[in-house]
Amino acid sequence: MTENWTAFVRGHRRTGSDVQFIERTRQDAQQSMGKELQKLILTAPTSQQDLARTELAGFEQLFGRYLQETGPSVLWDKIKLLPEGGHLNRTHGTDVPLVLMNSFNTDEDTLKVLQRYGKLQLQIHTFNQSRYPRINRESLLPIGNSFTSDNTESWYPPGHGDVYQSLVNSGLLKQFLDSGKKYVFISNIDNLGATVDLNILNFLMEQEQPPEFVMEVTDKTRADVKGGTLVEYEGKLRLLEIAQVPKEHVDEFKSVSKFKIFNTNNLWISLDAIKRVTDDQSLHMEIIVNPKTLDNGVNVIQLETAVGAAIKSFEGAMGINVPRRRFLPVKTTSDLLIVMSNLYSLHTGALQMNPKRSFPQGPLVKLGSHFSKVKDYLSRFSSIPDMLELDHLTVSGDVTFGKNVSLKGTVIIIANHGDRIDIPAGALLENKIVSGNLRILDH
């Protein structure tokens, strides 16, 4: 019944009795969820029940919005394109802390890594984002029946949009405000191009009425067609994600010529404003419904939010177009190869493109499944190749690289199933296709 109701709400033309039925069903689902959440809270140790109650209150509110909100979150005709336009503490004698938001999946590993940096003159804070229950797709109830940490498959971290409330819950927001901090710079941890840019910070502080929210955007390339973009919607800036776009407009959304910028997820946000929107509960972010199938075959949904979607909840929000170098994400070993190569070097804590590179953009690199795990990736390179003049690299199959290999132009290396290709030490591959079975053995 519940599964049919969900489809019914989102597509059927409603009569008066339909509306009454939908509302009753929604209320029943909300009440059933509330009862289950109370049961879950009681399974937590007494010392953790207050925290569990706080976190699950946020989830219950998100779940209520999921039941209530229907249809597309934007009307395409209302979208307007934006007009065209235009290490730290030691150097400046400041005390800028590093803050890491973890989930219950990453917290322990992060703390182990941070032990190596205990002697640095740097404040490092960590806090955990909320832990929300996965929802059975058919019953719309939590799949777990215990709050204990050994039942992790029943829980999930609800996306980086949870940073606002979790920063409050951790006590860090109050701590930073009490110490006189004004802004927080937020970025994805995998974006190695994200550093504190004093030009942006000075711009913020020089304004008579400083913006409460600034999103760094950069020029879109064909590799970024799925990235969210900034638009004007009903007089306010809004982050438009591909999941919100009506199907008939997806190709238009991906157009590099129409939507020319995309969100780097580098954000500058007023701490006072975060306190205000969390206190008065005016923070609004579109719900991302993330369906998953667990190992036991159970179909679940996760309700998530994205940090940048909150831009419309802040006053004077704006986007700043920044150079591409401020967006350098490392999500795959293909990305890792680029930043480990001679294309980049580390200067005062920031990665910089080698000035000998003829083009401002990096090469397009696609490594196959044999390279997908970091351990396997590292074992296939005796040393990282010279990639200074590389435009495109595709590697597929069982391939290894000897020492001091140079790659230039477009290089495609394909080892067929059962074959192996060993690129010999000192080899120069320029605009080459290597395929078949090339194997060099040491004597």
Side-chain angles (χ1 to χ4, degrees):
M1 168 67 78
T2 305
E3 189 174 42
N4 292 337
W5 165 74
T6 303
F8 176 72
V9 168
R10 298 180 188 274
H12 187 68
R13 176 175 290 180
R14 305 168 189 169
T15 65
S17 59
D18 287 340
V19 173
Q20 292 178 359
F21 170 72
I22 292 168
E23 180 59 22
R24 283 198 302 271
T25 310
R26 187 194 66 78
Q27 291 176 358
D28 288 345
Q30 185 84 58
Q31 290 172 1
S32 297
M33 174 63 77
K35 292 177 182 177
E36 292 301 314
L37 294 180
Q38 290 303 314
K39 292 178 184 177
L40 281 174
I41 291 169
L42 295 177
T43 67
T46 304
S47 61
Q48 297 180 21
Q49 287 189 6
D50 285 344
L51 176 60
R53 191 171 287 107
T54 300
E55 287 189 355
L56 293 183
F59 168 78
E60 190 168 10
Q61 184 181 43
L62 189 66
F63 181 73
R65 283 183 51 209
Y66 167 71
L67 295 177
Q68 186 74 41
E69 297 174 7
T70 63
S73 57
V74 297
L75 298 176
W76 192 254
D77 292 341
K78 288 189 176 184
I79 288 174
K80 296 181 181 179
L81 298 180
L82 301 182
E84 305 259 353
H87 257 274
L88 190 66
N89 289 342
R90 184 183 304 161
T91 303
H92 298 279
T94 59
D95 184 21
V96 178
L98 173 66
V99 186
L100 303 175
M101 182 174 78
N102 290 299
S103 73
F104 59 88
N105 292 318
T106 61
D107 184 47
E108 289 186 10
D109 289 337
T110 298
L111 293 177
K112 289 177 183 177
V113 171
L114 291 180
Q115 289 176 357
R116 306 176 195 169
Y117 303 94
K119 296 182 180 179
L120 288 180
Q121 299 300 309
L122 172 68
Q123 288 188 54
I124 302 179
H125 302 276
T126 66
F127 68 98
N128 275 13
Q129 65 182 123
S130 302
R131 194 173 73 145
Y132 284 179
R134 282 177 167 151
I135 305 168
N136 187 299
R137 201 182 305 176
E138 295 182 2
S139 68
L140 290 184
L141 295 175
I143 65 168
N145 53 19
S146 173
F147 204 83
T148 55
S149 59
D150 57 352
N151 190 24
T152 56
E153 194 179 46
S154 299
W155 303 84
Y156 72 97
H160 42 56
D162 185 57
V163 65
Y164 303 104
Q165 192 61 52
S166 289
L167 196 59
V168 174
N169 295 345
S170 69
L172 285 174
L173 180 67
K174 182 178 186 303
Q175 180 179 329
F176 295 148
L177 286 170
D178 290 346
S179 65
K181 306 295 185 188
K182 297 295 184 184
Y183 277 90
V184 59
F185 173 59
I186 298 177
S187 70
N188 290 352
I189 198 168
D190 58 38
N191 183 6
L192 302 189
T195 58
V196 176
D197 188 308
L198 295 184
N199 294 315
I200 297 177
L201 186 59
N202 286 333
F203 168 78
L204 293 174
M205 303 312 296
E206 290 169 356
Q207 303 303 305
E208 186 175 340
Q209 290 186 316
E212 293 183 344
F213 191 110
V214 169
M215 175 182 290
E216 294 185 31
V217 297
T218 194
D219 293 344
K220 184 189 287 190
T221 69
R222 295 194 182 278
D224 314 307
V225 293
K226 293 183 179 180
T229 190
L230 271 186
V231 296
E232 182 183 331
Y233 191 83
E234 296 184 331
K236 280 199 168 187
L237 280 187
R238 183 161 178 171
L239 177 63
L240 179 65
E241 300 276 13
I242 192 169
Q244 301 165 247
V245 177
K247 290 181 180 179
E248 63 270 22
H249 292 287
V250 167
D251 288 340
E252 187 179 350
F253 173 82
K254 292 180 178 180
S255 169
V256 177
S257 60
K258 180 169 183 176
F259 295 97
K260 299 179 180 180
I261 57 173
F262 76 99
N263 171 30
T264 66
N265 230 28
N266 295 345
L267 309 172
W268 303 75
I269 310 175
S270 161
L271 291 172
D272 283 319
I274 291 177
K275 183 177 188 306
R276 187 191 73 245
V277 298
T278 51
D279 282 352
D280 63 20
Q281 296 187 347
S282 61
L283 194 65
H284 186 278
M285 294 167 282
E286 284 73 26
I287 298 174
I288 301 168
V289 181
N290 187 359
K292 289 183 177 291
T293 301
L294 303 183
D295 292 340
N296 60 7
V298 174
N299 293 321
V300 300
I301 56 173
Q302 300 178 179
L303 305 182
E304 304 174 7
T305 55
V307 60
I311 188 170
K312 62 182 180 293
S313 300
F314 293 86
E315 298 299 325
M318 65 172 59
I320 294 182
N321 199 327
V322 298
R324 181 75 183 198
R325 64 176 179 270
R326 291 190 58 76
F327 183 69
L328 192 63
V330 177
K331 298 181 182 294
T332 65
T333 53
S334 300
D335 301 327
L336 185 60
L337 178 62
I338 293 174
V339 298
M340 289 181 67
S341 74
N342 58 342
L343 286 164
Y344 288 94
S345 57
L346 194 64
H347 293 280
T348 60
L351 283 173
Q352 294 184 1
M353 177 76 77
N354 192 321
K356 296 181 180 179
R357 171 77 173 174
S358 301
F359 309 101
Q361 290 84 21
L364 181 62
V365 174
K366 296 180 180 179
L367 300 180
S369 59
H370 285 72
F371 294 78
S372 58
K373 295 182 179 179
V374 173
K375 182 180 178 181
D376 296 335
Y377 155 85
L378 292 174
S379 70
R380 293 182 175 276
F381 291 97
S382 297
S383 68
I384 302 300
D386 175 355
M387 297 168 52
L388 198 58
E389 298 180 42
L390 179 68
D391 299 321
H392 182 125
L393 173 66
T394 294
V395 182
S396 177
D398 188 0
V399 179
T400 63
F401 292 80
K403 290 184 178 180
N404 303 318
V405 172
S406 294
L407 306 173
K408 298 183 179 183
T410 297
V411 178
I412 300 173
I413 306 171
I414 301 175
N416 296 324
H417 182 70
D419 292 340
R420 173 170 165 173
I421 295 177
D422 290 338
I423 305 300
L428 168 60
L429 299 179
E430 182 173 5
N431 296 322
K432 297 290 185 184
I433 298 177
V434 181
S435 63
N437 191 333
L438 173 63
R439 189 167 187 179
I440 310 297
L441 300 176
D442 291 331
H443 293 283

